Amino acid sequence: MSADLVCFSEPCRSRFPITEPVYNCRKCGSLLEARYSGDRMPAAMLKTLWRGRRTSNTPLDQSGVWRYREMIPFLDKYDSVVTLREGNTPLLGAPKAAQYGGLDYLTFKHQGFNPTGSFKDNGMTCGASQAVRLGMKRVACVSTGNTSASMAAYSSAGGLQPIIFIPHGNISYGKLAQALEYGAMTLQVEANFDQILALVRTLADKLGIYLLNSVNPFRIEGQKTIIVEMMDYRDWNPPDWIVLPGGNLGNTSAFGKALRELREFGLIDKMPRLAVVQAEGSAPFYDLMHTAERSKLRSVEHPQTLATAIKIGDPVSWPKAWQAVEWSGGVVEKVSEQEIADAKAQIGLCGIGCEPASAATLAGIRKLIADGRMKASEDVVAVLTGNVLKDPDYIFKYHTGQLKDPHGALISSTYGNGPTVVPNDPDRIAALLGG
Ligand code: F0G
């Protein structure tokens, strides 16, 4: 099997060696993607091989990414792999959330069960492994928090020096704390995500630092395995819908590529529809997909949302995401701050929990059901992208009626569950507990 980096733009399709540290086409500037050629194992053999690896004790097989290495064969040997046993994230039935959304049944694939608590680990194990393979010393990313937490962990684990750039005051403390703890050099820049991405690209080029944002095609390869694992755990029965939040749109791109390849390889026989959900104040992809010509994304200059993970106005991967939504017959929806907050509380009530951006999925489902685009009887998997503990400040404020939207308006604590302060008095506490 041989691998190349290929320009995503159809009229160009320039090819670059897989070992070249390049993120955009040198000819036309478009995004790049990994493409493979050569003989492939038959689908039935692959399924048996992957299932068998679940009982193996080798690090590579224990990783829910590298277990599926035949889907991501960009390394010629595996001595550069940096793994923290990422992936292996569960499919969880959630009856209460299903009822809230208007579905008969709903499953969450919870990427918050990853080593650093988000889906970024699926991609970062691949990005960091490629950096080690290329002999890089320093790696960098701009992040709304999860990419940086993940990059910090994987680079430190792999002996690389992580340098992270974050929008000052715009990421949750949980995520910032992770980057500090994992040893990243952390630069808080007085600019938004989109502005910092441009800055980091310039610096990476100038200083020979390897860029680990989702423009890095190897990150996308790793994130493909979220879908492969989902199908494996479902015995290769694709759902009708896969719902996910959209920010920089790397994940949407990865899901589209995974579904296309699984179909090509004969591993699934049906294409699920992708439903991408954005926050209302940060929804350039929603806007694009609701214009007649759908040809050019117009960025949102000052994106606003409390779901800081998806506070991105100029998503770089939109051409790939556009194609993924088109191929799958998918939809793009947007939801309000109140809808995200209430959906999040409902996911919490299932004993599952997630961070705000992830809850956009359930809020989106409720909207799609309400207007009839999704049917109650359909088989839906929503991907929860981040762990509940990523943003505890948001949770406390919601449950105590103090959460305000980016314009300062109070968000209703519809399903609020604030703590009660009690005196150290057994009788009064007993009275409070109903005798
Ligand atoms: N959900 C969470 C929890 C995220 O952290 C992100 C992105 C998304 C959804 C959106 O995914 O960008 O692939 O469309 N977080 C990035 C970061 C941008 O820097 O951590 P996307």
Side-chain angles (χ1 to χ4, degrees):
M1 185 74 65
S2 73
D4 284 305
L5 289 171
V6 179
C7 176
F8 188 72
S9 162
E10 203 153 345
C12 178
R13 291 282 192 255
S14 294
R15 298 183 97 83
F16 303 90
I18 200 80
T19 47
E20 210 164 303
V22 56
Y23 323 99
N24 286 84
C25 177
R26 293 229 164 92
K27 246 192 207 148
C28 74
S30 300
L31 298 162
L32 296 176
E33 66 174 16
R35 292 249 177 134
Y36 309 105
S37 50
D39 289 341
R40 196 169 288 119
M41 230 184 263
M45 272 175 77
L46 280 174
K47 289 179 186 177
T48 311
L49 178 70
W50 294 338
R51 191 56 66 89
R53 283 180 184 156
R54 282 206 221 157
T55 56
S56 159
N57 281 334
T58 67
L60 218 54
D61 291 346
Q62 284 188 343
S63 159
V65 171
W66 297 102
R67 178 180 306 137
Y68 304 106
R69 50 195 175 270
E70 289 75 13
M71 288 295 293
I72 51 170
F74 62 88
L75 294 175
D76 36 26
K77 44 187 182 8
Y78 291 100
D79 52 356
S80 66
V81 167
V82 186
T83 173
L84 296 169
R85 313 301 184 273
E86 52 291 320
N88 298 303
T89 62
L91 286 171
L92 303 169
K96 280 186 200 155
Q99 195 182 18
Y100 178 78
L103 286 166
D104 297 342
Y105 190 77
L106 171 63
T107 310
F108 289 121
K109 177 146 177 74
H110 205 327
Q111 293 303 111
F113 281 59
N114 261 302
T116 77
S118 85
F119 73 96
K120 304 291 179 179
D121 294 345
N122 284 67
M124 205 52 77
T125 182
C126 288
S129 301
Q130 177 71 2
V132 172
R133 172 206 205 171
L134 297 176
M136 294 288 170
K137 297 282 174 273
R138 295 192 290 179
V139 292
C141 70
V142 52
S143 177
T144 56
N146 280 324
T147 298
S148 46
S150 183
M151 194 193 82
Y154 279 83
S155 352
S156 289
L160 302 158
Q161 191 201 342
I163 307 169
I164 68 167
F165 295 76
I166 49 178
H168 186 37
N170 268 305
I171 78 167
S172 74
Y173 270 115
K175 298 174 189 178
L176 177 57
Q178 283 182 292
L180 301 178
E181 188 80 354
Y182 296 137
M185 178 181 200
T186 304
L187 306 173
Q188 296 182 273
V189 188
E190 303 277 2
N192 69 26
F193 177 93
D194 309 297
Q195 295 161 330
I196 306 173
L197 181 55
L199 173 82
V200 177
R201 290 175 83 133
T202 313
L203 285 169
D205 269 355
K206 199 167 161 182
L207 303 175
I209 301 172
Y210 194 58
L211 192 62
L212 279 176
N213 274 103
S214 58
V215 284
N216 183 308
F218 303 98
R219 288 263 322 273
I220 302 294
E221 289 305 288
Q223 286 170 215
K224 274 178 5 192
T225 62
I226 298 169
I227 296 293
V228 184
E229 187 178 73
M230 180 193 295
M231 298 303 162
D232 184 7
Y233 285 12
R234 290 175 54 97
D235 295 319
W236 305 100
N237 292 312
D240 296 311
W241 291 90
I242 296 172
V243 187
L244 74 161
N248 214 18
L249 301 173
N251 222 20
T252 308
S253 309
F255 285 15
K257 189 170 193 275
L259 290 170
R260 191 187 72 206
E261 292 176 354
L262 288 174
R263 191 94 200 260
E264 271 170 26
F265 302 173
L267 285 151
I268 55 171
D269 54 13
K270 181 184 106 179
M271 189 79 165
R273 301 176 71 184
L274 291 178
V276 182
V277 189
Q278 297 207 287
E280 254 173 27
S282 183
F285 191 49
Y286 171 89
D287 293 342
L288 169 78
M289 299 307 266
H290 289 80
T291 54
E293 71 282 11
R294 292 182 166 193
S295 56
K296 179 91 191 84
L297 181 126
R298 291 180 48 196
S299 56
V300 173
E301 206 178 329
H302 300 293
Q304 296 293 345
T305 173
L306 298 179
T308 48
I310 49 173
K311 189 172 167 183
I312 294 176
D314 192 12
V316 286
S317 292
W318 73 263
K320 289 183 177 178
W322 175 86
Q323 206 176 71
V325 171
E326 292 278 313
W327 270 334
S328 75
V331 298
V332 183
E333 192 43 89
K334 63 177 180 182
V335 289
S336 70
E337 297 296 313
Q338 183 72 53
E339 288 169 325
I340 293 175
D342 288 342
K344 183 172 139 51
Q346 288 292 322
I347 296 168
L349 285 171
C350 297
I352 292 177
C354 64
E355 69 164 282
S358 310
T361 53
L362 181 59
I365 288 170
R366 198 169 147 98
K367 266 186 130 165
L368 293 171
I369 289 279
D371 69 15
R373 275 177 292 169
M374 189 180 272
K375 305 274 172 292
S377 59
E378 285 187 297
D379 182 354
V380 181
V381 180
V383 179
L384 299 180
T385 43
N387 190 284
V388 67
L389 288 175
K390 287 280 188 176
D391 197 348
D393 191 47
Y394 180 107
I395 301 176
F396 184 76
K397 285 186 176 150
Y398 176 82
H399 286 292
T400 54
Q402 302 173 66
L403 192 64
K404 289 187 178 155
D405 77 12
H407 305 291
L410 205 60
I411 288 180
S412 300
S413 180
T414 323
Y415 307 104
N417 180 32
T420 309
V421 180
V422 291
N424 184 7
D425 177 339
D427 293 337
R428 285 172 66 187
I429 297 176
L432 194 79
L433 298 177

